[in-house]
């Protein structure tokens, strides 16, 4: 038995965490596992189900949108990870940890803790941050130094391995993820509907659900009746706009949005096809699961998706990523050439079982662990000692300047959101409408500033009412289909009776800017709810 401390960077059960948990499920006689997560969350239930000991130790992840991080933020992230690594030292001693395995590239706490404890560290790289998500590490120079002092780096695909070799000059080994075959393997070919498509996973612009929605629309316009099931949760604005598109073009009987499901087995038994449209998937767990379930995958021709499906159409079909018309063409081709289905299904299943078996994956990981814990591959002690000394000095200098405290802003914002939604719901139950409240104030046209959850709800409530929502303002929202009018507030704003601000928290600077530039009435959402309550 090898005593291993695993660092998971998320408290939800995302693909990276699920892959690790699948391995731990079949490793009971080989690995004594202890898991660290950064906060309470859904993953705790799964850890308890498989009887894995875990600890909650807060730390910040090391990734931000490209070009948005500051030096102060870099320091905060570093201090958070260093402080968490200090807390882990007691756990490492008590549990006699022999090795630390960090399950994602976006947290540094594992490698720092390993340097402090003088034990080996394995770093699992599961993301193509820049190519797929538009994120980058906040401190690339520090990340490079930490990578260089990790004893082994595992890439989940060859495209990830090559990308990190190019960007950071680091060598890694490629070990494909393991999946629980018994959980996903299905040969219920006869139950699948040849006109049903599914798209499972996190819903976000990077995952490409818009391509699937538009492709389905294209096929339906051309006279082929299909169903598309989009399953998952994610970016609220993006989901909201997708639903607006479906409603605008009358596709409600063809395209369905389903909440995240723990078990997609029934839907995979129904749908012959599964779509993976990600911009640049590092590997693609849902693609592997769909193959095992006997679904024919139609995937983007990039990253890990193309690596899994292959270029010869023997295990599925590829289309040009980002080109919804090409996706529609491939979907139509698949429908019209169902004589190829059984051969593709069998080839994809055999490949996925041979390549992504959790038991085989475990053996590959164990070989890495044994090589490190037996001292055969551990090196660079002088380089590690030098880096640790550098990290110690940096943390000491930051402690002299700044007191780092736990950021409670997210909790406070969540409380404010909950209170606002409760007030809104109470008004609706008493039949007091925002439309009536605005009209009583002589307001018939508005703009909305802030298109988060509250802004989207306000837009929905006033749509088709006597109030016209002329435009919205939010730097985070894009609408290439022109479903709503988006205006940059730095430009000259079209005239409206009022601008309703739905952003929670401190917005005095924003309000002052608007009042100095425009004579329009500025109304906070909380103020609008006050008017509503006084009807």
């Amino acid at each position: 038995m090898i005593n291993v401390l695993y660092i998971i960077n998320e408290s939800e059960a995302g693909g990276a965490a699920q892959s690790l948990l699948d391995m731990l499920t079949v490793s009971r006689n080989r690995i004594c596992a202890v898991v660290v997560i950064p906060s309470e969350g859904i993953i705790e239930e799964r850890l308890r189900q498989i009887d894995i000991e875990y600890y909650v130790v807060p730390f910040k992840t090391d990734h931000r949108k490209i070009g948005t991080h500051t030096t102060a933020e870099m320091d905060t992230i570093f201090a958070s990870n260093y402080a968490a690594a200090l807390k882990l030292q007691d756990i490492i001693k008590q549990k006699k940890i022999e090795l630390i395995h960090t399950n994602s590239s976006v947290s540094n706490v594992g490698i720092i803790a390993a340097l402090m404890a003088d034990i080996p560290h394995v770093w699992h790289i599961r993301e193509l941050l820049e190519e797929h998500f538009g994120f980058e590490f906040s401190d690339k120079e520090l990340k490079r130094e930490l990578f260089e002092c990790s004893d082994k780096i595992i890439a989940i695909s060859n495209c990830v391995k090559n990308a990190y070799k190019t960007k950071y000059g680091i060598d890694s080994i490629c070990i494909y993820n393991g999946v629980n075959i018994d959980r996903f393997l299905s040969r219920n070919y006869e139950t699948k509907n040849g006109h049903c498509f599914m798209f499972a996973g996190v819903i976000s612009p990077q995952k490409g659900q818009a391509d699937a929605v538009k492709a389905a629309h294209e096929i339906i316009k051309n006279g082929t009746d299909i169903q598309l099931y989009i399953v998952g949760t994610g970016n609220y604005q993006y989901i909201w706009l997708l639903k607006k598109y479906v409603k605008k073009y009358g596709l409600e009987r063809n395209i369905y949005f389903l909440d995240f499901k723990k078990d997609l087995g029934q839907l995979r038994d129904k749908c012959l096809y599964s779509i993976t449209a990600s911009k640049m998937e590092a590997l693609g767990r849902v693609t592997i699961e769909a193959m095992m379930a006997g679904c024919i995958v139609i995937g983007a021709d990039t990253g890990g998706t193309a690596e899994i499906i292959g270029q010869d159409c023997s295990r599925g079909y590829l289309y040009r990523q980002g080109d919804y018309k090409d996706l529609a063409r491939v979907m139509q081709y698949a429908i019209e050439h169902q004589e190829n289905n059984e051969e593709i299904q069998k080839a994809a299943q055999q490949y996925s079982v041979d390549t992504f078996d959790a038991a085989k994956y475990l053996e590959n990981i164990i070989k890495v662990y044994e090589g490190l814990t037996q001292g055969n591959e551990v090196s660079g002690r002088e380089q590690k000692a030098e880096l640790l000394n550098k990290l110690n000095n940096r943390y000491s200098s930051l402690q002299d300047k700044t007191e780092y405290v736990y950021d409670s802003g997210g909790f406070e914002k969540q409380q404010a959101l909950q209170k606002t939604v409760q007030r809104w719901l109470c008004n609706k139950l008493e039949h007091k409408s925002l439309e009536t409240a605005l009209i009583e104030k002589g307001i018939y046209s508005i703009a909305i500033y802030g298109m988060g959850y509250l802004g989207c709800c306000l837009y929905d409530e006033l749509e088709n009412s006597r109030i016209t929502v002329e435009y919205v303002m939010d730097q985070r929202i894009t609408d290439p289909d022109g479903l709503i009018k988006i205006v940059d507030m730095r430009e000259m704003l079209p005239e409206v009776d009022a601008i309703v601000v739905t952003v929670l928290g401190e917005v005095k600077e924003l309000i002052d800017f608007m009042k100095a530039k425009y004579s329009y009435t500025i109304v906070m959402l909380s103020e609008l709810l006050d008017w509503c309550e006084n009807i």
Side-chain angles (χ1 to χ4, degrees):
M1 294 280 281
I2 304 173
N3 298 331
V4 182
L5 180 67
Y6 292 93
I7 309 294
I8 298 181
N9 70 295
E10 58 183 343
S11 298
E12 307 303 314
Q18 288 186 53
S19 294
L20 175 62
L21 296 178
D22 277 349
M23 185 196 79
L24 295 182
T25 301
V26 298
S27 69
R28 297 193 177 282
N29 298 325
R30 313 289 296 281
I31 299 171
C32 181
V34 178
V35 170
V36 169
I37 55 177
S39 61
E40 297 176 348
I42 295 173
I43 197 171
E44 293 181 274
E45 179 184 350
R46 182 79 193 278
L47 288 166
R48 288 191 289 265
Q49 285 175 349
I50 59 176
D51 195 28
I52 297 293
E53 184 177 6
Y54 70 91
Y55 296 87
V56 177
V57 179
F59 61 86
K60 292 181 179 293
T61 54
D62 176 34
H63 68 294
R64 295 293 181 269
K65 283 186 179 290
I66 293 175
T68 63
H69 56 272
T70 64
T71 300
E73 191 169 33
M74 289 164 55
D75 288 340
T76 300
I77 292 169
F78 166 73
S80 165
N81 280 262
Y82 189 99
L86 286 173
K87 293 180 181 178
L88 293 182
Q89 297 309 301
D90 286 341
I91 298 173
I92 292 169
K93 291 176 183 176
Q94 291 173 12
K95 301 300 176 182
K96 298 180 180 179
I97 298 299
E98 300 169 74
L99 177 146
I100 297 177
H101 185 148
T102 298
N103 197 48
S104 165
S105 67
V106 299
S107 59
N108 297 333
V109 58
I111 177 63
I112 297 173
L115 291 173
M116 290 176 176
D118 191 25
I119 57 176
H121 178 262
V122 172
W123 213 327
H124 219 130
I125 302 180
R126 300 180 179 274
E127 307 88 4
L128 290 168
L129 277 184
E130 296 176 26
E131 300 88 340
H132 189 187
F133 299 104
F135 284 85
E136 64 182 349
F137 299 124
S138 64
D139 190 337
K140 291 185 179 180
E141 187 54 40
L142 172 62
K143 184 67 76 172
R144 187 187 306 276
E145 292 179 289
L146 294 174
F147 278 148
E148 289 174 352
C149 285
S150 186
D151 298 286
K152 187 68 70 174
I153 296 177
I154 299 172
I156 63 170
S157 65
N158 283 309
C159 73
V160 170
K161 176 182 178 178
N162 294 335
Y164 278 77
K165 176 68 173 177
T166 300
K167 284 187 285 188
Y168 294 96
I170 59 171
D171 292 317
S172 60
I173 59 172
C174 175
I175 301 179
Y176 285 131
N177 283 343
V179 175
N180 188 326
I181 293 175
D182 293 337
R183 182 180 172 193
F184 297 108
L185 190 64
S186 172
R187 303 193 190 279
N188 295 331
Y189 301 163
E190 68 282 355
T191 66
K192 298 183 187 298
N193 186 322
H195 284 71
C196 282
F197 297 76
M198 65 177 289
F199 193 135
V202 175
I203 302 178
S204 72
Q206 295 80 14
K207 294 294 184 181
Q209 283 85 0
D211 281 356
V213 168
K214 291 178 186 177
H217 184 202
E218 193 78 7
I219 291 171
I220 293 163
K221 281 193 302 183
N222 292 331
T224 301
D225 190 46
I226 66 169
Q227 281 73 49
L228 170 64
Y229 297 89
I230 297 177
V231 189
T233 58
N235 184 311
Y236 187 85
Q237 289 177 333
Y238 185 62
I239 297 170
W240 182 76
L241 283 171
L242 290 177
K243 290 181 177 179
K244 281 276 182 281
Y245 185 99
V246 168
K247 183 177 180 180
K248 178 178 180 178
Y249 293 106
L251 302 171
E252 294 94 336
R253 296 183 65 181
N254 296 95
I255 300 177
Y256 304 90
F257 292 86
L258 307 176
D259 288 337
F260 172 78
K261 295 178 179 294
K262 291 182 180 179
D263 184 4
L264 294 169
Q266 286 187 333
L267 193 58
R268 286 183 173 132
D269 282 344
K270 177 178 181 178
C271 297
L272 178 56
Y273 305 102
S274 177
I275 298 173
T276 302
S278 301
K279 182 178 179 181
M280 182 66 75
E281 196 72 58
L283 182 64
R285 182 183 174 89
V286 292
T287 302
I288 299 164
E289 291 177 4
M291 283 180 164
M292 285 189 177
C295 297
I296 295 174
V297 180
I298 300 174
D301 60 348
T302 57
T305 304
E307 195 171 319
I308 295 171
I309 294 176
Q311 300 292 331
D312 61 358
C313 298
S314 63
R315 300 194 296 267
Y317 298 107
L318 295 176
Y319 80 98
R320 288 190 300 274
Q321 190 278 324
D323 185 344
Y324 75 89
K325 289 190 176 181
D326 194 51
L327 175 55
R329 178 189 64 81
V330 175
M331 291 167 68
Q332 187 71 48
Y333 178 89
I335 292 171
E336 293 174 356
H337 292 79
Q338 296 196 23
E339 67 275 9
N340 301 328
N341 289 350
E342 188 171 346
E343 185 177 346
I344 292 173
Q345 287 170 307
K346 288 181 178 179
Q349 280 190 320
Q350 191 62 54
Y351 168 79
S352 59
V353 168
D354 290 344
T355 310
F356 305 106
D357 181 1
K360 294 179 182 177
Y361 172 70
L362 173 63
E363 292 304 318
N364 288 327
I365 296 294
I366 290 291
K367 288 179 183 177
V368 171
Y369 292 173
E370 288 177 344
L372 295 175
T373 56
Q374 293 171 8
N376 298 334
E377 300 182 40
V378 177
S379 61
R381 293 192 178 278
E382 185 174 328
Q383 183 182 9
K384 291 178 180 180
E386 183 178 333
L387 177 57
L388 181 59
N389 185 58
K390 181 178 177 180
L391 300 179
N392 293 342
N393 291 337
R394 181 177 176 183
Y395 186 70
S396 297
S397 68
L398 291 174
Q399 290 298 96
D400 292 340
K401 296 177 183 178
T402 309
E403 181 181 356
Y404 288 89
V405 296
Y406 179 72
D407 179 14
S408 62
F411 176 71
E412 292 174 355
K413 186 175 180 180
Q414 191 64 32
Q415 281 191 315
L417 174 63
Q418 183 178 355
K419 182 179 178 181
T420 302
V421 172
Q422 286 175 339
R423 291 183 65 197
W424 199 332
L425 179 59
C426 287
N427 284 333
K428 290 184 73 70
L429 291 174
E430 294 177 10
H431 305 290
K432 297 177 178 181
S433 72
L434 299 181
E435 174 191 9
T436 302
L438 287 166
I439 289 174
E440 285 191 355
K441 298 292 183 179
I443 297 172
Y444 289 87
S445 66
I446 70 165
I448 300 174
Y449 181 90
M451 289 302 292
Y453 175 76
L454 296 174
C456 293
C457 288
L458 178 61
Y459 191 105
D460 285 342
E461 176 153 340
L462 297 179
E463 194 172 26
N464 301 320
S465 74
R466 290 172 291 171
I467 306 298
T468 303
V469 180
E470 298 287 356
Y471 55 91
V472 305
M473 293 170 281
D474 193 318
Q475 293 181 348
R476 300 167 300 170
I477 193 169
T478 57
D479 177 24
D481 301 303
L483 301 173
I484 60 176
K485 184 176 181 180
I486 304 171
V487 174
D488 188 332
M489 69 171 294
R490 294 169 296 185
E491 301 172 359
M492 193 64 188
L493 298 180
E495 186 174 348
V496 288
D497 294 333
I499 298 174
V500 180
V501 178
T502 67
V503 178
L504 299 175
E506 181 54 53
V507 291
K508 183 180 184 303
E509 186 176 339
L510 168 68
I511 300 300
D512 289 345
F513 171 82
M514 287 184 174
K515 287 183 176 178
K517 194 171 181 180
Y518 304 102
S519 60
Y520 313 148
T521 300
I522 311 296
V523 183
M524 296 297 298
L525 180 58
S526 58
E527 185 180 2
L528 178 52
L529 292 173
D530 289 340
W531 295 351
C532 202
E533 289 167 354
N534 292 326
I535 293 175

